[in-house]
Amino acid sequence: MSHSNPIILVPKYMDQFQCIGSSCEDTCCAGWSVTIDKATYKKYKKVKSPGIASKLDKEVTRNRSNPTERNYAKISMSGCNSCPMLSKDSLCEIQLMLGEEYLSTTCASYPRVTNIVNGNYEMSANLSCPEAARLALLNPDPMEFFEIKLNRNNKHSLFNQIHPEQYNPTQIQFYFWDLRIFSIELLQNRTYSLTDRILILGLFFQNVQDLVNNASSSDVPNLIENYRKLVRAGSLRESLLQIPIEATAQIRLLKELIDVRIHAGGANQRYLRSFEEFLLGIAYEETAEIETIATRYQFAYDNYYKTYMDKHSYILENYLVNYIFKNTFPFYGNNISILDNYVFLALHYSLIKMHLIGIAGFHKEKLEVDHILTLIQSLAKTIEHNNRYLQFAFDYLKTREFTSIAGMAIFLKN
C-alpha cells in the first residue's frame, strides 16, 4: 500500500512521534508474536548474508492454519519473551543488518495505526507504546487534528476502513462525521467533569441507538443539535446529580476482574507491577468482604485520587479522544451496535479509573504523572494483546444487564 506522499489526518502528537529505540522503558519487541506479511516473508527467503540468513530461516515460521497476505508468517518470542532478532543492546538486527525496508509491516508501522475513511488516510498511535502515550496523554491542551504529508514509512498497519459517503441519510453510517465531531467536542468540554461528559455521551448514544432501532436515523442531526443546546444551557446537570453512587457494584465487577486477571497469565511485567500497587492500595484480600474493600476503595478515592485527578483529568480526556479517533468510534467491530461501542469506551475509562483509585491509595501524596502513564500504557498493552480480558468485563456487564446507560452510570460515578 505505498502511495506517493498521501495526505493523512493525524492527531497533533503524531507529528512529534519517533521511536526512542533502546532507551524505551518497555520494548515493543517483547510479549507477543510478530506477524509477517507475505511480501516481507518472500524477501527474507532471498536474504543471503551469513549470520542473519540462517537466523531468519530458524525464527520465521509460516502460518499454516489460515495464512493471509498480512498474516502470512510469524516470529515467535523466545523464552525470556522478547524477539529473537534483538541484538545484545536491544536493537533490531534485521534493521541493523538489512535496513528499515526489510522490516515487516507490523514492525515498521507500530505503534502507528491507519484507518481509511471515505478513501482518506488517518493515522494515530496505540498507547501501548510508552513514547506515544507520553506525547498523546501529557499535553494539557485539548487534542487537535490536522493534515500532514506522509513521506517516510509508507507501510501501513490497516486497522479499519469505513465509507460513510456510500450510505444514504436514512442509514446511521451516513452520520459518521457528525457523531465523531460531536463526541470529541463533548469530551473536550471542560465546563463539565470528565465523568459527567462520559455520562452525557452515554445518554446521547442511548438516544442514537433508539433512533437506529426505530429506523429514524435521519433524525440524528436534530438530536445532535438538541444535545448541543442542553450542554450549553447546563440543563443536564440536575439529572446527572440524581445518578446513584454505587461503590459496591464497582467492587463486585472489580473482584471478578481481579480473579480473572490473577488467573489469566500473559500480562506484561509493567502491568503486573501496577496491578500489585492497585491491590495494595485498596488493601485487597481474597477473603475480605465486598463492603470492607468498598470502604477502602472509597477512602483512596476521596483522599488521594480525586484532588490529583481533578488537576490532571486532561490525561484521561486525551486517552478517550485518541480512542474515539483510532477506533472510528462508534463504528468499530463487526456486528457491535452503536450503544455497545459506547459501552466499550466507557469500560476502558472505568477500568483505568478503578485501577488508578487503588494506585492513588498506594502512592498517597507521592502519586505522580508517571504512575498514571505506566498504568495506562501497560494496561493498553495487556488489553491490545489479549482481548479476553475486555470481553470478559463486557460479557459480565451484559449478563447482569448493566449495559444500559443507567447500568453503566453505576461504574462511571464515584
Side-chain angles (χ1 to χ4, degrees):
M1 268 182 30
S2 294
H3 290 248
S4 55
N5 294 7
I7 292 285
I8 195 154
L9 181 67
V10 295
K12 192 165 175 217
Y13 70 84
M14 287 303 291
D15 209 27
Q16 307 147 285
F17 175 75
Q18 257 187 322
C19 175
I20 56 172
S22 54
S23 51
C24 183
E25 62 270 45
D26 189 15
T27 174
C28 51
C29 312
W32 46 24
S33 64
V34 171
T35 50
I36 306 288
D37 51 287
K38 190 171 181 178
T40 305
Y41 179 79
K42 296 266 189 271
K43 262 184 174 168
Y44 289 169
K45 281 285 164 235
K46 295 196 177 97
V47 170
K48 296 282 183 279
S49 356
I52 189 124
S54 57
K55 200 165 180 186
L56 283 170
D57 208 44
K58 176 171 166 268
E59 303 297 353
V60 180
T61 52
R62 280 280 303 279
N63 175 5
R64 299 281 173 202
S65 48
N66 47 353
T68 60
E69 290 288 320
R70 276 170 64 189
N71 184 358
Y72 190 76
K74 69 172 192 290
I75 299 178
S76 294
M77 296 295 141
S78 56
C80 58
N81 229 354
S82 65
C83 180
M85 303 310 295
L86 283 182
S87 72
K88 296 268 182 292
D89 317 323
S90 293
L91 294 170
C92 171
E93 292 182 355
I94 297 175
Q95 187 162 353
L96 285 174
M97 296 168 82
L98 301 171
E100 190 172 353
E101 61 280 11
Y102 275 81
L103 292 178
S104 70
T105 300
T106 303
C107 296
S109 58
Y110 180 85
R112 302 170 191 83
V113 170
T114 305
N115 292 316
I116 297 177
V117 177
N118 287 334
N120 300 315
Y121 281 63
E122 299 185 347
M123 186 186 277
S124 52
N126 277 322
L127 302 186
S128 50
C129 161
E131 180 64 5
R134 254 191 297 279
L135 292 170
L137 300 178
L138 297 190
N139 181 357
D141 302 323
M143 191 178 285
E144 295 178 82
F145 299 86
F146 61 112
E147 291 184 320
I148 58 171
K149 262 204 174 66
L150 190 77
N151 40 22
R152 58 193 201 317
N153 183 6
N154 268 351
K155 286 186 171 175
H156 291 286
S157 174
L158 198 59
F159 189 61
N160 203 7
Q161 282 198 60
I162 57 171
H163 303 282
E165 60 192 15
Q166 291 175 6
Y167 293 86
N168 69 55
T170 64
Q171 296 169 296
I172 191 64
Q173 291 88 338
F174 181 83
Y175 300 102
F176 166 72
W177 275 101
D178 307 78
L179 294 169
R180 171 189 253 184
I181 288 166
F182 175 73
S183 301
I184 291 177
E185 166 195 311
L186 175 58
L187 283 177
Q188 292 182 331
N189 181 340
R190 297 184 180 178
T191 60
Y192 289 82
S193 74
L194 187 55
T195 295
D196 281 353
R197 293 173 234 171
I198 296 167
L199 288 169
I200 296 170
L201 192 67
L203 294 170
F204 170 75
F205 275 109
Q206 186 150 327
N207 290 149
V208 173
Q209 189 63 56
D210 291 341
L211 292 179
V212 173
N213 297 348
N214 298 326
S216 328
S217 292
S218 50
D219 283 344
V220 162
N222 288 336
L223 182 71
I224 291 177
E225 223 16 74
N226 288 339
Y227 264 85
R228 284 201 169 113
K229 285 187 189 122
L230 289 169
V231 167
R232 268 200 302 275
S235 33
L236 293 164
R237 289 186 199 273
E238 257 320 286
S239 38
L240 293 171
L241 286 171
Q242 304 307 315
I243 293 167
I245 291 173
E246 305 244 10
T248 49
Q250 291 185 26
I251 293 294
R252 278 209 173 82
L253 168 67
L254 263 182
K255 202 165 158 39
E256 299 264 346
L257 283 170
I258 289 167
D259 294 343
V260 168
R261 175 62 269 146
I262 288 172
H263 302 125
N268 65 335
Q269 285 314 112
R270 270 165 76 80
Y271 172 65
L272 290 177
R273 279 198 298 276
S274 287
F275 184 69
E276 281 300 308
E277 291 178 0
F278 151 74
L279 291 179
L280 291 165
I282 57 172
Y284 179 82
E285 294 144 16
E286 284 213 28
T287 52
E289 292 290 315
I290 294 267
E291 282 66 29
T292 316
I293 302 171
T295 312
R296 293 169 189 157
Y297 179 73
Q298 194 59 46
F299 183 82
Y301 175 81
D302 292 336
N303 293 283
Y304 305 111
Y305 177 87
K306 190 171 174 358
T307 39
Y308 192 84
M309 284 315 282
D310 282 351
K311 283 201 216 54
H312 296 86
S313 65
Y314 62 85
I315 297 176
L316 295 179
E317 175 195 300
N318 287 334
Y319 176 87
L320 293 169
V321 171
N322 191 65
Y323 178 100
I324 283 181
F325 184 73
K326 181 185 78 143
N327 291 294
T328 57
F329 178 86
F331 296 103
Y332 177 64
N334 300 328
N335 313 320
I336 298 178
S337 73
I338 297 273
L339 188 58
D340 283 351
N341 258 277
Y342 166 77
V343 171
F344 270 112
L345 171 85
L347 191 54
H348 271 258
Y349 173 71
S350 306
L351 284 175
I352 291 171
K353 189 170 86 166
M354 289 175 189
H355 277 83
L356 287 179
I357 290 170
I359 288 168
F362 177 80
H363 290 285
K364 303 190 168 63
E365 289 81 8
K366 296 199 172 74
L367 185 65
E368 285 174 14
V369 165
D370 264 359
H371 300 133
I372 299 166
L373 206 60
T374 300
L375 180 271
I376 293 178
Q377 175 267 325
S378 63
L379 185 63
K381 195 165 183 174
T382 301
I383 288 173
E384 271 166 38
H385 313 148
N386 178 355
N387 258 331
R388 283 205 315 268
Y389 188 43
L390 208 57
Q391 195 59 48
F392 172 84
F394 181 78
D395 294 341
Y396 175 91
L397 295 174
K398 262 263 189 274
T399 52
R400 285 162 187 73
E401 300 183 347
F402 273 125
T403 51
S404 68
I405 181 58
M408 280 312 292
I410 290 170
F411 293 96
L412 292 168
K413 203 169 165 184
N414 287 85

